[in-house]
Amino acid sequence: EAGVTQSPTHLIKTRGQQATLRCSPISGHTSVYWYQQALGLGLQFLLWYDEGEERNRGNFPPRFSGRQFPNYSSELNVNALELEDSALYLCASSLALQLAGANTGELFFGEGSRLTVL
Amino acid sequence: QKEVEQNSGPLSVPEGAIASLNCTYSDRVSQSFFWYRQYSGKSPELIMSIYSNGDKEDGRFTAQLNKASQYVSLLIRDSQPSDSATYLCAVFGGATNKLIFGTGTLLAVQP
């Protein structure tokens, strides 16, 4: 069974450009989470989608946005890139919130997309 | 105060010893607690989850939860060099409605 897949693996952009990162969840998972992992800062929560709806977002500026498609795949967009956006962006999937219940938080991570902003 | 706090380490233990990793959290109504392991250059993987006060054992791993003290710990018995990794504590907050990770504790098991 395929795990969480993310693309691209690496992305190099310059300041001011836009980046689009994509994620396909594990089959049967309808919840998708996005995290930013910058060097030395740990995993910072970005966005949580559950069955097509945005459930929550972290303390990031509006230029970080995303969406979840009907097939539950997801896209993270970062506009007006800044140097400090350079990081590993991790996508994770889990069962739908209503199915996960108390198990909400049991995430399966993809290998990440490394974004470098020059 | 950080939402989830961990000592960054490194925590160095000899092979065969017990490694003890600790985590505190600030959201009193947090519901679910997790330990993830992240090897260098890899993505995190779930190793333990715990939802009620007390201990939960799975092989060499034991998770401990004390909601009154807002404290979660992970014990690794008979530590192996392959256990060397960063261990991330994660808490799903009832008030925040999101899964928050600590910055992780780097564990180094010396052969």
Side-chain angles (χ1 to χ4, degrees):
Chain A
E1 182 181 315
V4 177
T5 58
Q6 292 188 244
S7 63
T9 306
H10 293 90
L11 188 60
I12 299 175
K13 294 285 187 178
T14 56
R15 286 175 59 190
Q17 287 189 312
Q18 179 198 27
T20 298
L21 309 176
R22 297 179 177 85
C23 172
S24 293
I26 290 171
S27 178
H29 284 185
T30 59
S31 249
V32 171
Y33 298 74
W34 286 96
Y35 287 87
Q36 181 196 67
Q37 189 171 34
L39 201 59
L41 291 182
L43 274 74
Q44 302 296 311
F45 172 74
L46 271 163
L47 289 161
W48 174 22
Y49 293 99
D50 178 61
E51 297 194 298
E53 292 189 18
E54 183 180 296
R55 292 289 176 181
N56 210 336
R57 65 176 290 133
N59 297 324
F60 280 84
R63 57 191 187 82
F64 286 83
S65 65
R67 54 180 171 166
Q68 187 177 34
F69 298 100
N71 66 353
Y72 306 115
S73 67
S74 179
E75 192 173 89
L76 174 69
N77 293 293
V78 188
N79 293 321
L81 285 165
E82 300 179 1
L83 297 178
E84 54 265 34
D85 297 334
S86 294
L88 180 67
Y89 289 83
L90 290 163
C91 172
S93 74
S94 72
L95 292 172
L97 177 62
Q98 65 174 15
L99 293 178
N103 295 349
T104 299
E106 293 190 358
L107 306 187
F108 295 82
F109 282 86
E111 291 302 317
S113 293
R114 182 159 302 277
L115 173 64
T116 302
V117 183
L118 303 176
Chain B
Q1 182 187 10
K2 288 184 181 178
E3 293 175 278
V4 179
E5 293 205 56
Q6 297 181 253
N7 187 322
S8 61
L11 173 66
S12 183
V13 299
E15 184 174 355
I18 296 175
S20 178
L21 304 160
N22 305 312
C23 170
T24 58
Y25 60 93
S26 60
D27 182 355
R28 284 200 164 272
V29 296
S30 295
Q31 304 161 337
S32 313
F33 308 85
F34 307 89
W35 285 98
Y36 285 79
R37 177 177 61 200
Q38 186 173 25
Y39 290 112
S40 180
K42 298 293 186 182
S43 56
E45 58 177 328
L46 178 67
I47 55 171
M48 288 289 287
S49 56
I50 187 165
Y51 307 102
S52 54
N53 280 329
D55 295 0
K56 178 182 177 182
E57 187 174 318
D58 183 0
R60 296 186 296 112
F61 298 97
T62 299
Q64 299 175 316
L65 174 61
N66 183 326
K67 289 187 177 180
S69 300
Q70 296 174 239
Y71 178 89
V72 195
S73 66
L74 178 70
L75 300 178
I76 306 175
R77 289 181 299 281
D78 187 24
S79 295
Q80 301 297 309
S82 59
D83 295 327
S84 298
T86 296
Y87 288 81
L88 302 165
C89 174
V91 177
F92 188 82
T96 62
N97 195 34
K98 53 189 177 184
L99 184 67
I100 301 299
F101 284 81
T103 53
T105 298
L106 178 62
L107 173 66
V109 180
Q110 308 300 326

